[in-house]
Amino acid sequence: MTPDHVDRIQQEWARARPDVDVRPQGVIGRLHRLALALAAEISEVYRAHGLGEGEFDVLAALRRAGEPFERAPGDLAAHTMVTTGAMTKRVDRLVAAGLVTRRPSAEDGRGRVVALTPRGREVIDAAFTDHMANERRLLDLLGPEADAEALEELLRRWLAALDRGA
């Protein structure tokens, strides 16, 4: 296989610091570069639908909630792993775009819920369909499905180990 950018960096470090094991950089460095490249590819699909990653996340969390496609703002923040302050900004942008509404909760008169509008549902359904097709395209670059399945299992185990240690 042809040496890549990470190979060159490892070779330079091996010369500069032969006392340090640079092998982990082969995995971590490539994962980092891959994450950046994938994020750029994925963001293009969001932009094609007039969304940023944050807006897509909010609409997706609402769509996954099922009928009536609503969640409390704090619940949305938990499902998208952002602060409530960041969630407020995202929801404000989506309200302005006519993709979600804020309304009083039917269960708690003091609480509020964020809900998809019919237009918001159309946008997230189209964006999600294109997003999954794009992810399929990106994953197919890896090759055989068995490789993707093996990689998925490795990543699942690694994330689980990191979660346990966190």
Side-chain angles (χ1 to χ4, degrees):
M1 184 161 282
T2 306
D4 66 5
H5 183 74
V6 176
D7 288 320
R8 288 186 289 280
I9 290 172
Q10 284 181 286
Q11 289 166 0
E12 291 171 358
W13 274 119
R15 277 192 308 275
R17 292 291 312 270
D19 59 313
V20 176
D21 178 11
V22 297
R23 288 177 299 176
Q25 193 174 46
V27 174
I28 303 296
R30 285 184 181 89
L31 280 174
H32 180 70
R33 289 178 56 83
L34 183 62
L36 292 173
L38 290 174
E41 293 278 341
I42 289 168
S43 292
E44 286 183 30
V45 172
Y46 300 154
R47 278 193 300 277
H49 291 275
L51 301 171
E53 182 179 10
E55 289 84 9
F56 179 90
D57 284 347
V58 172
L59 295 176
L62 291 168
R63 183 64 172 94
R64 290 191 316 266
E67 292 281 354
F69 307 115
E70 65 184 28
R71 292 185 190 262
D75 193 31
L76 268 177
H79 281 84
T80 57
M81 298 187 298
V82 298
T83 65
T84 54
M87 182 56 61
T88 298
K89 291 177 185 175
R90 289 178 181 181
V91 171
D92 287 347
R93 287 191 298 266
L94 291 167
V95 167
L99 301 178
V100 302
T101 60
R102 282 189 186 97
R103 64 175 183 247
S105 170
E107 297 170 7
D108 175 6
R110 296 171 294 145
R112 312 249 325 143
V113 295
V114 177
L116 280 177
T117 64
R119 176 73 184 129
R121 184 171 175 187
E122 290 173 12
V123 168
I124 191 56
D125 282 351
F128 182 71
T129 298
D130 291 350
H131 174 61
M132 286 295 96
N134 188 43
E135 285 195 350
R136 169 52 51 202
R137 176 187 67 82
L138 293 168
L139 193 57
D140 285 348
L141 295 172
L142 184 59
E145 187 68 25
D147 287 351
E149 291 170 4
L151 179 59
E152 182 179 11
E153 182 54 31
L154 284 170
L155 294 172
R156 180 181 290 114
R157 285 191 354 238
W158 195 358
L159 284 168
L162 283 171
D163 287 345
R164 283 191 304 273

